[in-house]
Amino acid sequence: MQQNNRISYPSPAIPLAPVLSEKSIKLSHTSRDVKSILSNSEQIHVTSGRAGIALALEHAGITEKDEVLIPAYHCESMISPVLWRVATPVFYQINADTSINDDDIIGKITSSTKAIIVTHYFGRIQNLCNVKKLCDENNIILIEDCAHAFFGSKNGVPVGTVGDYSIASSMKFFPCFDGGVLASSKHSLNTINLESQPASLQLKSFFNIVERAINYGRFGFLGKLLKAILKVKELTWNSIKRLRKSSVSTAISPSSSEGGYGLDQNWIHKNTSTPSLMTIKKSDYKRITSKRRANYEKLYTALEGLENAHPLFDALDKECVPLVFPLFVNSPEAFDTLKRQGVPIWRFGEFLDEQINQELCPNSMTLSSHVFQFPCHQELTSKELDWMIEKIIHAIK
């Protein structure tokens, strides 16, 4: 991967990802009819989206000498599962609007091509008609990468239900510590055996969910009471680390939960921790989808008139549930300014594989540096959104 020296920035002043709040949980099941990757007939909850990709490739029998087509606009977590299977990643072009370049995919298919991964960038669902037909004609496995699109549909068809397999990253849409989904409506997943998380991870998952909520001022008066619980957590956690200090065991949590992009082999065949899974299952799905759309629209209205930037996409399709608000910025230098001010911002594909260059896919090169992502998740308050908008306008203008 093309890695630059990482700069140390302050923590985001407002939450970059969802944090637990008093409104997050819905005990009834009335909101479960929302179209999502969970609309598939088969689904298992794993540690991360990248673990889902790895398990899909393993389940499909992808192995050495096989080729897997991956979009040139990507992150490392999409490539590492392919390398884990000792297969060869082959990169195909995307268009400037992140849609699939069907012609380039056709040109990249060989007798060794066994799988194609298609990404629904930022929650905008791809048109899969052509690539699905291509896969069917050539006996190729189609994997939908729904890491950016847990919810939503296209022409009434739920996201993640067209391909042979689909994966999602629960951590991007729910206030959980770990979690991903592998789903399918074409293949039975009951032969995939997953192990339970160790007690140490279960504890860390619970305390991380609570601690992040408190750090960002959620729960109000209840937060003060929970701070006392966290003091007990520190004692418990320090004891666990001392017990593990001399052992040569696996990491206490997957890197995906700590902001890393690699694939931890020891966490592929494990399920989502119980605290995270309960958070996912008890969340209010209708609130998630409506709030994300409303927050996106607010950002769109406030930022569409900027002279030196423009929304990557037009106004939301009625079936789209966004992950973030992607803004194409003419001068990438503003990224550093906003990060230093504590604005929650990141760039997908910031570090592309070393094979990616202007000749292979100029659109990926441009998008990786010029597209800034800002949160529009369901747990942002109006005050937090207003603060973020003000900072963006001042930095970019």
Side-chain angles (χ1 to χ4, degrees), residues 1 10 18 36 41 43 47 74 87 96 101 117 123 163 174 215 222 241 253 266 280 342 366 369:
M1 305 296 293
S36 72
S41 58
Q43 53 192 259
T47 56
H74 59 261
N101 187 322
I117 299 176
F174 299 90
N215 288 343
L222 180 60
K241 288 192 287 187
S253 59
N266 293 308
I280 295 165
T366 299
S369 59

Side-chain angles (χ1 to χ4, degrees), residues 136-163:
D136 290 343
E137 292 173 346
N138 292 273
N139 195 29
I140 296 172
I141 293 294
L142 176 60
I143 300 175
E144 289 187 66
D145 179 358
C146 308
H148 293 188
F150 197 103
F151 299 97
S153 59
K154 191 174 186 69
N155 299 323
V157 179
V159 65
T161 61
V162 175

Side-chain angles (χ1 to χ4, degrees), residues 238-279:
N238 289 335
S239 298
I240 292 173
K241 288 192 287 187
R242 282 196 298 271
L243 288 172
R244 294 173 59 92
K245 189 174 182 180
S246 59
S247 65
V248 186
S249 57
T250 60
I252 204 164
S253 59
S255 65
S256 53
S257 297
E258 307 287 357
Y261 293 97
L263 177 70
D264 302 306
Q265 296 186 27
N266 293 308
W267 296 94
I268 295 174
H269 295 91
K270 288 186 171 60
N271 54 27
T272 303
S273 69
T274 300
S276 290
L277 185 58
M278 291 301 294
T279 300

Side-chain angles (χ1 to χ4, degrees), residues 5-46:
N5 293 327
R6 303 296 180 104
I7 301 173
S8 178
Y9 292 105
S11 299
I14 60 177
L16 183 147
V19 293
L20 193 65
S21 74
E22 296 167 327
K23 297 180 180 179
S24 300
I25 304 302
K26 188 178 184 68
L27 297 179
S28 69
H29 293 271
T30 56
S31 67
R32 301 306 183 263
D33 57 349
V34 175
K35 292 178 180 178
S36 72
I37 189 174
L38 300 181
S39 299
N40 279 284
S41 58
E42 298 273 333
Q43 53 192 259
I44 56 175
H45 291 268
V46 296

Side-chain angles (χ1 to χ4, degrees), residues 172-189:
K172 294 182 174 69
F173 285 85
F174 299 90
C176 52
F177 174 67
D178 64 308
V181 174
L182 170 62
S184 178
S185 291
K186 315 292 190 302
H187 305 280
S188 173
L189 304 179

